[in-house]
Amino acid sequence: MMILVGGEKGGSGKSCMAQNLAVYFAKHKNAIVLMVDCDPQRTTSDWIQARNTDPTLPAINCIQLYGKIRNDLLSLKQHYDYVIVDCGGQDNLALRAAMSVAEHVVIPLRPKRRDLKTVPHMEDMLSTCKMVNPKMLASFVITQCPALPTQANRILEAKEVCSSYGINVLDSVTYNRNIYDDSEEKGSSVLEIDPDGKAASEIIAIAEELLAMKPDNSHEFN
Ligand SMILES: Nc1ncnc2c1ncn2[C@@H]1O[C@H](COP(=O)(O)OP(=O)(O)OP(=O)(O)O)[C@@H](O)[C@H]1O
Ligand SMILES: [Mg+2]
């Protein structure tokens, strides 16, 4: 299965989500996982490098690919249980190529106006890519949510913006927690640093929600 974590908003938490999902599949599903880093900033490659210096952490493979990567991804998919693609924050070729082969496209967004402004354009890109990859399941996930109960409305409003464009938005969200930032430093994941913590349960809930989604066969009835 290939999961693309993408979107065009910088800093929305794409790399963080991709890394934590990769650890989820390696740790909780005992799967062979490959990460594909399409971002010239190499955030995920650096994270893997830090991870590989710690022999106690289950190994995750990582390669860098840029540009027209559709065929590379198609052949890599056959050799791994899960391929997690981290696309950088631009509307680039690699993002579109990965959208054309992935089973899941996950788009992290903060509940902030500037992030939500990217939704119409993402919807546009997703519908174009659905023409070549009709079974692709696209979901927004709201990340870095404020924990204060008085701010809960912001999360609901963000979800409503996403659904108003007809794209699925996951029930599960991530809250703003330092452990996400702290775990990255060591090439680790919130699932490894504090397996019973709140951040770990957020990631598990997101992964399980993705896995429970049924393939999109709606095109067959159109
Ligand atoms: N739920 C969260 N709570 C707190 N911090 C978070 C959370 N999710 C991500 N972050 C932090 O936000 C910062 C940006 O995250 P990340 O690098 O994953 O974003 P990105 O979308 O990949 O950015 P870019 O567009 O530059 O690739 C990182 O320092 C990360 O640790
Ligand atoms: Mg990134």
Side-chain angles (χ1 to χ4, degrees), residues 8-17 19 39 41 43 86-90 108 110 143-145 174-182 184 202:
E8 54 185 5
K9 194 71 192 123
S12 62
K14 299 179 291 294
S15 301
C16 179
M17 182 62 63
Q19 291 154 17
D39 185 351
Q41 287 185 63
T43 314
D86 175 11
C87 272
Q90 304 121 338
R110 288 161 295 198
T143 62
Q144 305 168 51
C145 292
T174 72
Y175 284 91
N176 201 346
R177 303 183 192 281
N178 289 334
I179 187 174
Y180 284 101
D181 195 33
D182 297 343
E184 281 166 12
E202 288 166 3

Side-chain angles (χ1 to χ4, degrees), residues 23-78:
V23 172
Y24 170 85
F25 292 117
K27 190 170 181 263
H28 291 247
K29 298 285 166 193
N30 250 329
I32 310 204
V33 181
L34 173 73
M35 294 200 76
V36 179
D37 187 3
C38 302
D39 185 351
Q41 287 185 63
R42 298 171 48 100
T43 314
T44 283
S45 310
D46 291 346
W47 176 77
I48 291 277
Q49 212 172 0
R51 185 173 180 87
N52 288 345
T53 60
D54 184 344
T56 63
L57 299 173
I60 293 175
N61 297 298
C62 179
I63 60 163
Q64 291 148 16
L65 291 177
Y66 307 108
K68 297 178 182 169
I69 61 174
R70 181 179 154 87
N71 289 337
D72 296 317
L73 291 178
L74 281 171
S75 64
L76 284 168
K77 235 168 105 158
Q78 296 167 6

Side-chain angles (χ1 to χ4, degrees), residues 2 10-11 13 38 40 51 58 69 73 84 98-99 105 110 115 124 127 135 138 147-148 159 177 187 195:
M2 180 176 293
C38 302
R51 185 173 180 87
I69 61 174
L73 291 178
I84 314 286
M99 269 190 192
V105 176
R110 288 161 295 198
D115 283 36
D124 212 56
S127 9
K135 289 195 176 175
L148 278 179
K159 286 183 171 178
R177 303 183 192 281

